[in-house]
Structure formats: C-alpha cells, structure tokens
Amino acid sequence: MAKVSTNVSIDADIKKQAQELFAELGMDLSTAINIFLRQSIWEHSFPFLISREIPNKETLEAIKETEEIIAHPERYKHYKSFAEAMADMDSEDEVNTNA
C-alpha cells in the first residue's frame, strides 16, 4: 500500500504527551493516528463518543449556587472541619425532628 505524508498542526504539549503515551503502548504517533483513521473508517464515525453535555436543571442550579457562594462567602456558614459541619447538620436534624 502506497504511503503519503500529511501535515497536521498539533499543539506542541499535546504532541509531546501523546508521543509519551503511545511510546508506553509500544507505538509511535504515526501508528496511533493510523489506528484512529482505520477505526474511524471501520465504524463510519469517530471511534469514541463526542458529545456536548448539557447540564440538567438541578446541575445548573448547583452551579449558580456555587458561583454565589464564591462571590459572597460572607453570607454563608464556615466550618473548621468536616466533622464540625456534620455536627451542625446533625443538630439541625434534631431541631427539625423535635419541631
């Protein structure tokens, strides 16, 4: 099979990391790219899922809440340890149970 050269622009750091990974797997970058292309042809698509995750309503609300806490930390309780936070939550549960 005839071989041809192809020029591809790649971020230098990405190329270095990929070369290191593929070397550990026993191949060079050219072999890895050929495997990718052959698998793409075989599957008639990318050989892995490419998608854009759209957060659901609950996740969007959590992101918004996190941004609010970061912007205004003075409005929220602070704890010195995880144990202190858990103790506070337990005491709130007791108050709500007894109410």
Side-chain angles (χ1 to χ4, degrees), residues 51-62:
S51 66
R52 183 181 74 160
E53 295 210 17
I54 300 172
N56 62 25
K57 182 180 177 187
E58 182 179 7
T59 301
L60 289 171
E61 289 172 1

Side-chain angles (χ1 to χ4, degrees), residues 18-38:
Q19 286 175 312
E20 290 170 0
L21 170 65
F22 298 137
E24 289 177 15
L25 297 172
M27 68 185 82
D28 61 11
L29 186 59
S30 181
T31 302
I33 291 170
N34 275 288
I35 290 171
F36 167 78
L37 295 174
R38 287 176 184 272

Side-chain angles (χ1 to χ4, degrees), residues 8-85:
V8 178
S9 295
I10 302 172
D11 178 275
D13 189 49
I14 296 294
K15 180 181 178 186
K16 180 179 180 275
Q17 290 178 53
Q19 286 175 312
E20 290 170 0
L21 170 65
F22 298 137
E24 289 177 15
L25 297 172
M27 68 185 82
D28 61 11
L29 186 59
S30 181
T31 302
I33 291 170
N34 275 288
I35 290 171
F36 167 78
L37 295 174
R38 287 176 184 272
Q39 193 66 30
S40 296
I41 293 165
W42 177 260
E43 295 184 22
H44 298 282
S45 69
F46 281 93
F48 46 81
L49 177 64
I50 296 179
S51 66
R52 183 181 74 160
E53 295 210 17
I54 300 172
N56 62 25
K57 182 180 177 187
E58 182 179 7
T59 301
L60 289 171
E61 289 172 1
I63 291 169
K64 186 176 179 180
E65 181 180 6
T66 301
E67 290 170 345
E68 167 65 20
I69 291 169
I70 291 169
H72 303 286
E74 71 281 357
R75 297 179 185 170
Y76 300 91
K77 287 184 180 179
H78 291 81
Y79 300 98
K80 294 178 183 169
S81 68
F82 180 73
E84 183 182 342

